[in-house]
Amino acid sequence: MAFFKKIFKKVTDDESDQDLDLFVKTPVKPPYYGTVTPEPHFSAIRDAAALQKAIKAKGVDEAAIIDLLVKRSNDQRQQIKAAYQLDTGKPLEGVLKSALKSDFENVVLSLLMSPAHHDAHELKEAMKGLGTKEHVLSEILISRSNRQINEIKKVFKEVYDEDLEEDIRNDTSGDFMTTLLALCKADRNEQHYIDDSLANKDAKALYAAGEKRKGTDIAVFIDIFTSRSGPQLCKVMKLYSQYSEEGLADAVMNELKGDTEDCFMALVKCAWNPATYFAEKLHLAMKGFGNDSDTITRIIVSRSEVDLKNILKEYKRLHQRTLQEDILAETKGDFEKILLALCGDN
Protein backbone atom coordinates (compact mmCIF):
# COMPACT_ATOMS: atom_id res chain seq x y z
CA MET A 1 0.00 0.00 0.00
CA ALA A 2 2.81 2.42 0.86
CA PHE A 3 4.48 1.61 -2.45
CA PHE A 4 1.25 2.41 -4.29
CA LYS A 5 0.86 5.77 -2.56
CA LYS A 6 4.50 6.60 -3.25
CA ILE A 7 3.88 6.21 -6.99
CA PHE A 8 0.86 8.52 -6.83
CA LYS A 9 2.90 11.06 -4.90
CA LYS A 10 5.68 10.98 -7.48
CA VAL A 11 3.16 11.68 -10.24
CA THR A 12 1.19 14.40 -8.49
CA ASP A 13 4.11 16.24 -6.87
CA ASP A 14 6.08 16.65 -10.10
CA GLU A 15 5.40 20.16 -11.36
CA SER A 16 6.47 19.36 -14.91
CA ASP A 17 5.34 16.75 -17.40
CA GLN A 18 8.89 15.59 -18.01
CA ASP A 19 8.22 11.97 -17.13
CA LEU A 20 5.00 11.96 -19.11
CA ASP A 21 6.84 13.40 -22.11
CA LEU A 22 8.90 10.20 -22.17
CA PHE A 23 5.72 8.39 -23.11
CA VAL A 24 4.82 10.94 -25.79
CA LYS A 25 8.24 10.65 -27.42
CA THR A 26 8.34 6.86 -27.34
CA PRO A 27 9.14 5.64 -30.86
CA VAL A 28 6.81 3.31 -32.72
CA LYS A 29 9.46 0.59 -32.41
CA PRO A 30 11.04 1.05 -28.96
CA PRO A 31 14.53 -0.21 -28.04
CA TYR A 32 14.81 -3.85 -27.06
CA TYR A 33 15.10 -4.46 -23.32
CA GLY A 34 14.77 -8.24 -23.25
CA THR A 35 17.50 -10.52 -21.93
CA VAL A 36 16.88 -13.30 -24.47
CA THR A 37 17.94 -12.76 -28.07
CA PRO A 38 17.72 -14.97 -31.17
CA GLU A 39 20.59 -17.31 -31.99
CA PRO A 40 22.20 -15.84 -35.15
CA HIS A 41 23.36 -19.23 -36.48
CA PHE A 42 20.12 -21.03 -35.78
CA SER A 43 19.22 -24.50 -37.01
CA ALA A 44 16.00 -26.02 -35.73
CA ILE A 45 17.00 -29.50 -36.91
CA ARG A 46 20.38 -29.32 -35.15
CA ASP A 47 18.83 -27.99 -31.94
CA ALA A 48 16.10 -30.65 -31.96
CA ALA A 49 18.78 -33.33 -32.23
CA ALA A 50 20.77 -31.72 -29.40
CA LEU A 51 17.71 -31.75 -27.17
CA GLN A 52 17.02 -35.38 -28.00
CA LYS A 53 20.60 -36.23 -27.01
CA ALA A 54 20.28 -34.24 -23.73
CA ILE A 55 17.01 -35.96 -22.85
CA LYS A 56 18.38 -39.43 -23.57
CA ALA A 57 21.59 -38.82 -21.61
CA LYS A 58 22.01 -40.85 -18.45
CA GLY A 59 20.22 -38.83 -15.77
CA VAL A 60 19.18 -36.18 -18.35
CA ASP A 61 21.59 -33.38 -19.26
CA GLU A 62 19.74 -30.45 -17.67
CA ALA A 63 22.65 -28.05 -18.28
CA ALA A 64 22.47 -28.67 -22.04
CA ILE A 65 18.70 -28.11 -22.02
CA ILE A 66 19.11 -24.81 -20.15
CA ASP A 67 21.92 -23.60 -22.39
CA LEU A 68 19.99 -24.32 -25.57
CA LEU A 69 16.51 -23.05 -24.65
CA VAL A 70 17.65 -19.84 -22.94
CA LYS A 71 19.80 -18.87 -25.91
CA ARG A 72 16.94 -19.17 -28.41
CA SER A 73 14.09 -16.73 -28.97
CA ASN A 74 10.53 -17.90 -28.52
CA ASP A 75 10.02 -17.97 -32.27
CA GLN A 76 13.08 -20.21 -32.62
CA ARG A 77 11.79 -22.53 -29.88
CA GLN A 78 8.54 -22.98 -31.83
CA GLN A 79 10.60 -24.07 -34.85
CA ILE A 80 12.59 -26.49 -32.67
CA LYS A 81 9.34 -28.03 -31.42
CA ALA A 82 8.14 -28.56 -34.99
CA ALA A 83 11.48 -30.10 -36.04
CA TYR A 84 11.50 -32.41 -33.00
CA GLN A 85 7.96 -33.61 -33.73
CA LEU A 86 8.82 -34.23 -37.37
CA ASP A 87 11.97 -36.18 -36.50
CA THR A 88 10.71 -38.28 -33.57
CA GLY A 89 6.95 -38.30 -34.03
CA LYS A 90 6.58 -37.13 -30.43
CA PRO A 91 5.72 -33.70 -29.01
CA LEU A 92 8.77 -32.13 -27.35
CA GLU A 93 6.69 -30.82 -24.44
CA GLY A 94 5.45 -34.31 -23.56
CA VAL A 95 8.93 -35.81 -23.67
CA LEU A 96 10.40 -33.06 -21.49
CA LYS A 97 7.49 -33.29 -19.06
CA SER A 98 8.31 -36.97 -18.52
CA ALA A 99 12.04 -36.31 -18.20
CA LEU A 100 12.01 -33.27 -15.90
CA LYS A 101 10.31 -32.40 -12.64
CA SER A 102 9.12 -29.70 -10.28
CA ASP A 103 9.79 -25.98 -10.78
CA PHE A 104 12.50 -26.57 -13.38
CA GLU A 105 10.01 -28.50 -15.50
CA ASN A 106 7.53 -25.63 -15.24
CA VAL A 107 10.06 -23.08 -16.52
CA VAL A 108 11.09 -25.29 -19.45
CA LEU A 109 7.48 -25.96 -20.47
CA SER A 110 6.67 -22.26 -20.16
CA LEU A 111 9.58 -21.38 -22.46
CA LEU A 112 8.22 -23.78 -25.08
CA MET A 113 4.83 -22.05 -25.22
CA SER A 114 4.19 -19.08 -27.47
CA PRO A 115 3.57 -15.86 -25.46
CA ALA A 116 -0.17 -15.98 -26.13
CA HIS A 117 -0.35 -19.68 -25.25
CA HIS A 118 1.62 -19.08 -22.05
CA ASP A 119 -0.69 -16.25 -20.99
CA ALA A 120 -3.78 -18.30 -21.82
CA HIS A 121 -2.36 -21.21 -19.81
CA GLU A 122 -1.63 -18.98 -16.81
CA LEU A 123 -5.11 -17.47 -16.92
CA LYS A 124 -6.69 -20.92 -17.08
CA GLU A 125 -4.57 -22.19 -14.19
CA ALA A 126 -5.55 -19.12 -12.14
CA MET A 127 -9.22 -20.06 -12.51
CA LYS A 128 -8.78 -23.82 -12.16
CA GLY A 129 -10.22 -25.80 -9.26
CA LEU A 130 -11.24 -24.34 -5.93
CA GLY A 131 -10.31 -20.70 -5.42
CA THR A 132 -9.15 -18.16 -7.96
CA LYS A 133 -5.75 -16.43 -8.20
CA GLU A 134 -7.15 -12.97 -8.79
CA HIS A 135 -3.74 -11.30 -8.84
CA VAL A 136 -2.73 -13.39 -11.88
CA LEU A 137 -5.84 -12.34 -13.81
CA SER A 138 -5.15 -8.69 -13.02
CA GLU A 139 -1.43 -8.90 -13.83
CA ILE A 140 -1.85 -10.40 -17.29
CA LEU A 141 -4.85 -8.41 -18.50
CA ILE A 142 -3.43 -5.12 -17.21
CA SER A 143 0.06 -5.47 -18.67
CA ARG A 144 -0.75 -6.78 -22.16
CA SER A 145 -1.50 -4.70 -25.25
CA ASN A 146 -4.81 -4.82 -27.13
CA ARG A 147 -3.22 -7.03 -29.79
CA GLN A 148 -1.85 -9.41 -27.16
CA ILE A 149 -5.21 -9.68 -25.37
CA ASN A 150 -6.96 -10.52 -28.63
CA GLU A 151 -4.34 -13.20 -29.32
CA ILE A 152 -4.77 -14.60 -25.81
CA LYS A 153 -8.55 -14.83 -26.29
CA LYS A 154 -8.07 -16.61 -29.62
CA VAL A 155 -5.63 -19.16 -28.18
CA PHE A 156 -7.79 -19.66 -25.07
CA LYS A 157 -10.71 -20.61 -27.32
CA GLU A 158 -8.55 -22.90 -29.48
CA VAL A 159 -6.86 -24.72 -26.60
CA TYR A 160 -9.68 -24.94 -24.04
CA ASP A 161 -12.74 -24.63 -26.31
CA GLU A 162 -14.03 -21.93 -23.97
CA ASP A 163 -14.31 -18.16 -24.09
CA LEU A 164 -11.99 -16.34 -21.70
CA GLU A 165 -14.75 -13.89 -20.81
CA GLU A 166 -17.11 -16.72 -19.90
CA ASP A 167 -14.53 -18.28 -17.60
CA ILE A 168 -14.01 -14.89 -15.93
CA ARG A 169 -17.77 -14.55 -15.42
CA ASN A 170 -17.90 -18.01 -13.82
CA ASP A 171 -14.92 -17.50 -11.51
CA THR A 172 -15.14 -13.86 -10.43
CA SER A 173 -17.91 -11.51 -9.45
CA GLY A 174 -18.97 -7.92 -8.82
CA ASP A 175 -16.87 -4.91 -9.71
CA PHE A 176 -13.72 -7.00 -10.06
CA MET A 177 -15.37 -9.11 -12.74
CA THR A 178 -16.64 -6.00 -14.52
CA THR A 179 -13.14 -4.51 -14.51
CA LEU A 180 -11.57 -7.66 -15.97
CA LEU A 181 -14.25 -7.91 -18.66
CA ALA A 182 -13.63 -4.27 -19.58
CA LEU A 183 -9.93 -5.08 -20.02
CA CYS A 184 -10.85 -8.11 -22.14
CA LYS A 185 -12.49 -5.82 -24.68
CA ALA A 186 -8.96 -4.84 -25.74
CA ASP A 187 -9.97 -1.35 -26.76
CA ARG A 188 -7.66 0.68 -24.54
CA ASN A 189 -6.26 3.83 -26.10
CA GLU A 190 -2.62 3.10 -26.96
CA GLN A 191 -1.66 6.46 -28.44
CA HIS A 192 1.41 8.14 -26.95
CA TYR A 193 0.10 11.71 -26.96
CA ILE A 194 -1.65 13.21 -23.93
CA ASP A 195 -4.99 14.98 -24.21
CA ASP A 196 -4.90 17.58 -21.41
CA SER A 197 -8.55 18.50 -21.85
CA LEU A 198 -9.69 14.89 -21.56
CA ALA A 199 -7.41 14.32 -18.57
CA ASN A 200 -8.95 17.29 -16.77
CA LYS A 201 -12.44 16.06 -17.63
CA ASP A 202 -11.59 12.58 -16.31
CA ALA A 203 -10.09 13.93 -13.10
CA LYS A 204 -13.24 15.96 -12.47
CA ALA A 205 -15.45 12.97 -13.30
CA LEU A 206 -13.55 10.71 -10.87
CA TYR A 207 -13.92 13.26 -8.10
CA ALA A 208 -17.65 13.58 -8.78
CA ALA A 209 -18.06 9.79 -8.91
CA GLY A 210 -16.21 9.20 -5.66
CA GLU A 211 -15.33 11.75 -3.02
CA LYS A 212 -17.98 14.28 -3.94
CA ARG A 213 -20.94 11.95 -3.55
CA LYS A 214 -22.28 9.45 -1.07
CA GLY A 215 -21.45 6.03 -2.40
CA THR A 216 -19.28 5.40 -5.45
CA ASP A 217 -20.21 5.39 -9.10
CA ILE A 218 -17.82 2.53 -9.83
CA ALA A 219 -18.71 2.49 -13.54
CA VAL A 220 -16.93 5.83 -14.00
CA PHE A 221 -13.76 4.52 -12.33
CA ILE A 222 -13.79 1.34 -14.43
CA ASP A 223 -14.38 3.19 -17.69
CA ILE A 224 -11.53 5.68 -17.18
CA PHE A 225 -8.96 3.32 -15.68
CA THR A 226 -9.45 0.56 -18.27
CA SER A 227 -9.72 2.69 -21.41
CA ARG A 228 -6.99 5.35 -21.05
CA SER A 229 -3.37 4.90 -22.05
CA GLY A 230 -0.61 4.79 -19.42
CA PRO A 231 0.58 8.38 -19.94
CA GLN A 232 -3.00 9.65 -20.15
CA LEU A 233 -3.88 7.99 -16.84
CA CYS A 234 -0.78 9.49 -15.22
CA LYS A 235 -1.93 12.93 -16.34
CA VAL A 236 -5.34 12.27 -14.78
CA MET A 237 -3.63 11.46 -11.47
CA LYS A 238 -1.70 14.70 -11.64
CA LEU A 239 -4.77 16.84 -12.37
CA TYR A 240 -6.95 15.14 -9.75
CA SER A 241 -5.17 17.15 -7.04
CA GLN A 242 -6.88 20.28 -8.41
CA TYR A 243 -10.21 18.94 -7.19
CA SER A 244 -9.26 17.16 -3.98
CA GLU A 245 -6.87 17.66 -1.10
CA GLU A 246 -7.02 13.94 -0.49
CA GLY A 247 -5.49 12.88 -3.80
CA LEU A 248 -6.44 10.06 -6.10
CA ALA A 249 -4.37 7.49 -4.16
CA ASP A 250 -6.52 7.82 -1.05
CA ALA A 251 -9.66 8.19 -3.14
CA VAL A 252 -9.07 4.84 -4.85
CA MET A 253 -8.31 3.13 -1.54
CA ASN A 254 -11.35 4.69 0.14
CA GLU A 255 -13.80 4.11 -2.69
CA LEU A 256 -12.74 0.62 -3.83
CA LYS A 257 -12.25 -2.55 -1.84
CA GLY A 258 -10.72 -6.02 -2.05
CA ASP A 259 -9.76 -7.47 -5.43
CA THR A 260 -11.13 -4.41 -7.24
CA GLU A 261 -8.85 -2.10 -5.27
CA ASP A 262 -5.87 -4.40 -5.91
CA CYS A 263 -6.67 -4.43 -9.62
CA PHE A 264 -6.80 -0.63 -9.79
CA MET A 265 -3.54 -0.42 -7.84
CA ALA A 266 -1.92 -2.66 -10.44
CA LEU A 267 -3.39 -0.57 -13.26
CA VAL A 268 -1.77 2.58 -11.89
CA LYS A 269 1.59 0.95 -11.13
CA CYS A 270 1.77 -0.50 -14.62
CA ALA A 271 0.68 2.79 -16.20
CA TRP A 272 3.47 4.69 -14.43
CA ASN A 273 6.30 2.17 -14.82
CA PRO A 274 5.76 -1.48 -15.83
CA ALA A 275 9.32 -2.41 -14.82
CA THR A 276 8.74 -1.10 -11.30
CA TYR A 277 5.44 -2.98 -11.10
CA PHE A 278 7.04 -6.30 -12.05
CA ALA A 279 10.13 -5.70 -9.89
CA GLU A 280 7.89 -5.24 -6.86
CA LYS A 281 5.88 -8.37 -7.70
CA LEU A 282 9.09 -10.40 -7.95
CA HIS A 283 10.31 -9.02 -4.64
CA LEU A 284 7.07 -9.99 -2.91
CA ALA A 285 7.30 -13.46 -4.48
CA MET A 286 10.73 -13.87 -2.84
CA LYS A 287 9.75 -12.63 0.61
CA GLY A 288 8.67 -14.64 3.61
CA PHE A 289 8.85 -18.37 4.18
CA GLY A 290 9.64 -20.10 0.88
CA ASN A 291 8.89 -18.45 -2.42
CA ASP A 292 6.09 -18.12 -4.96
CA SER A 293 7.74 -20.08 -7.76
CA ASP A 294 4.74 -19.73 -10.07
CA THR A 295 4.90 -15.92 -9.98
CA ILE A 296 8.68 -15.88 -10.36
CA THR A 297 8.50 -18.22 -13.37
CA ARG A 298 5.59 -16.41 -15.01
CA ILE A 299 7.16 -12.95 -14.81
CA ILE A 300 10.72 -13.89 -15.76
CA VAL A 301 9.60 -16.04 -18.71
CA SER A 302 6.97 -13.62 -20.01
CA ARG A 303 9.21 -10.53 -19.73
CA SER A 304 12.45 -12.16 -20.94
CA GLU A 305 11.85 -10.88 -24.48
CA VAL A 306 10.10 -7.66 -23.44
CA ASP A 307 11.68 -5.63 -20.64
CA LEU A 308 13.47 -7.92 -18.19
CA LYS A 309 16.61 -5.75 -18.37
CA ASN A 310 14.58 -2.79 -17.09
CA ILE A 311 12.99 -4.93 -14.39
CA LEU A 312 16.45 -6.01 -13.20
CA LYS A 313 17.53 -2.36 -12.94
CA GLU A 314 14.38 -1.37 -11.06
CA TYR A 315 14.73 -4.31 -8.69
CA LYS A 316 18.22 -3.21 -7.71
CA ARG A 317 17.16 0.44 -7.38
CA LEU A 318 14.22 -0.40 -5.15
CA HIS A 319 15.85 -3.02 -2.93
CA GLN A 320 19.61 -2.36 -3.11
CA ARG A 321 20.04 -6.00 -4.09
CA THR A 322 20.00 -7.62 -7.50
CA LEU A 323 17.27 -10.00 -8.50
CA GLN A 324 19.99 -12.56 -9.15
CA GLU A 325 21.16 -12.31 -5.54
CA ASP A 326 17.66 -13.05 -4.29
CA ILE A 327 17.24 -15.91 -6.78
CA LEU A 328 20.46 -17.42 -5.38
CA ALA A 329 19.16 -16.98 -1.83
CA GLU A 330 15.61 -18.21 -2.38
CA THR A 331 15.82 -20.94 -5.04
CA LYS A 332 18.07 -23.91 -5.74
CA GLY A 333 19.11 -26.54 -8.24
CA ASP A 334 18.20 -26.42 -11.92
CA PHE A 335 15.33 -24.03 -11.18
CA GLU A 336 17.86 -21.52 -9.86
CA LYS A 337 20.21 -22.09 -12.81
CA ILE A 338 17.58 -21.53 -15.52
CA LEU A 339 16.22 -18.40 -13.83
CA LEU A 340 19.73 -16.94 -13.59
CA ALA A 341 20.36 -17.82 -17.23
CA LEU A 342 17.16 -16.03 -18.27
CA CYS A 343 18.28 -12.94 -16.35
CA GLY A 344 21.31 -12.72 -18.64
CA ASP A 345 24.86 -11.65 -17.96
CA ASN A 346 24.21 -8.66 -15.70
Side-chain angles (χ1 to χ4, degrees):
M1 197 69 73
F3 176 71
F4 178 57
K5 294 184 74 171
K6 190 183 297 183
I7 290 179
F8 271 111
K9 183 173 176 57
K10 179 174 173 58
V11 178
T12 55
D13 285 357
D14 190 352
E15 294 296 331
S16 72
D17 285 341
Q18 182 180 359
D19 291 317
L20 300 183
D21 286 342
L22 292 176
F23 288 104
V24 179
K25 296 174 183 177
T26 299
V28 175
K29 188 176 180 180
Y32 184 68
Y33 295 113
T35 55
V36 172
T37 56
E39 164 57 43
H41 307 295
F42 174 66
S43 168
I45 295 174
R46 185 175 64 238
D47 286 348
L51 280 174
Q52 176 73 333
K53 181 179 178 181
I55 294 165
K56 284 189 171 183
K58 187 176 181 180
V60 182
D61 189 348
E62 289 90 351
I65 294 171
I66 293 171
D67 187 62
L68 194 149
L69 292 181
V70 168
K71 293 180 180 177
R72 304 297 184 270
S73 68
N74 189 274
D75 180 65
Q76 290 175 336
R77 293 185 209 118
Q78 303 314 308
Q79 295 178 59
I80 294 169
K81 282 166 56 178
Y84 189 94
Q85 175 91 39
L86 188 64
D87 182 49
T88 66
K90 299 177 181 179
L92 178 57
E93 302 97 312
V95 175
L96 285 168
K97 188 174 179 65
S98 298
L100 308 178
K101 59 184 180 180
S102 193
D103 294 327
F104 176 58
E105 173 197 327
N106 292 336
V107 179
V108 169
L109 294 180
S110 294
L111 287 171
L112 290 174
M113 297 179 192
S114 70
H117 188 178
H118 184 236
D119 284 340
H121 170 79
E122 292 296 297
L123 288 167
K124 185 65 177 178
E125 288 296 306
M127 295 183 282
K128 191 176 178 180
L130 293 175
T132 301
K133 296 178 181 177
E134 290 85 359
H135 70 100
V136 177
L137 305 181
S138 295
E139 174 197 308
I140 293 175
L141 293 176
I142 283 164
S143 61
R144 300 323 189 240
S145 67
N146 293 335
R147 177 186 60 79
Q148 288 172 321
I149 290 174
N150 283 324
E151 289 177 356
I152 292 167
K153 291 194 293 184
K154 180 182 177 183
V155 170
F156 198 95
K157 181 69 173 178
E158 290 172 352
V159 174
Y160 303 110
D161 195 27
E162 297 170 356
D163 292 323
L164 174 59
E165 293 92 335
E166 191 59 33
D167 265 24
I168 288 173
R169 289 189 184 94
N170 291 335
D171 279 84
T172 63
S173 60
D175 297 329
F176 180 59
M177 177 190 72
T178 305
T179 305
L180 295 180
L181 292 176
L183 291 167
C184 278
K185 291 178 182 177
D187 60 1
R188 216 180 323 186
N189 188 319
E190 294 180 333
Q191 298 296 319
H192 293 297
Y193 68 84
I194 296 172
D195 186 332
D196 291 330
S197 177
L198 177 61
N200 186 62
K201 180 181 177 182
D202 284 346
K204 189 174 182 179
L206 287 170
Y207 177 68
E211 287 186 67
K212 194 176 180 181
R213 55 171 285 167
K214 186 176 181 180
T216 306
D217 187 349
I218 187 63
V220 174
F221 278 78
I222 293 173
D223 177 58
I224 292 172
F225 275 78
T226 63
S227 64
R228 305 300 188 254
S229 68
Q232 186 71 29
L233 191 55
C234 288
K235 187 67 175 183
V236 173
M237 288 187 276
K238 183 185 290 288
L239 294 178
Y240 187 87
S241 59
Q242 296 180 1
Y243 299 98
S244 167
E245 294 181 1
E246 186 176 64
L248 191 54
D250 289 323
V252 167
M253 288 183 280
N254 290 336
E255 302 297 333
L256 309 176
K257 303 297 179 186
D259 295 324
T260 307
E261 179 192 344
D262 292 341
C263 186
F264 274 72
M265 288 166 64
L267 270 164
V268 173
K269 292 176 188 178
C270 214
W272 179 246
N273 190 332
T276 301
Y277 167 64
F278 284 112
E280 188 65 12
K281 286 210 70 170
L282 283 168
H283 180 65
L284 292 173
M286 301 276 187
K287 286 178 65 176
F289 183 75
N291 62 68
D292 181 353
S293 61
D294 289 341
T295 293
I296 296 168
T297 297
R298 183 179 62 256
I299 294 176
I300 290 181
V301 169
S302 66
R303 309 310 290 188
S304 62
E305 292 185 57
V306 182
D307 57 357
L308 187 51
K309 282 184 180 178
N310 287 343
I311 294 169
L312 292 168
K313 289 179 182 177
E314 281 299 290
Y315 195 98
K316 186 174 182 179
R317 183 183 68 82
L318 290 168
H319 307 296
Q320 290 76 54
R321 289 170 58 84
T322 65
L323 175 59
Q324 292 94 323
E325 286 177 301
D326 280 346
I327 288 173
L328 284 166
E330 299 295 335
T331 65
K332 60 183 179 179
D334 294 317
F335 180 49
E336 172 191 285
K337 292 174 184 176
I338 197 168
L339 292 178
L340 291 173
L342 285 168
C343 287
D345 299 329
N346 297 321

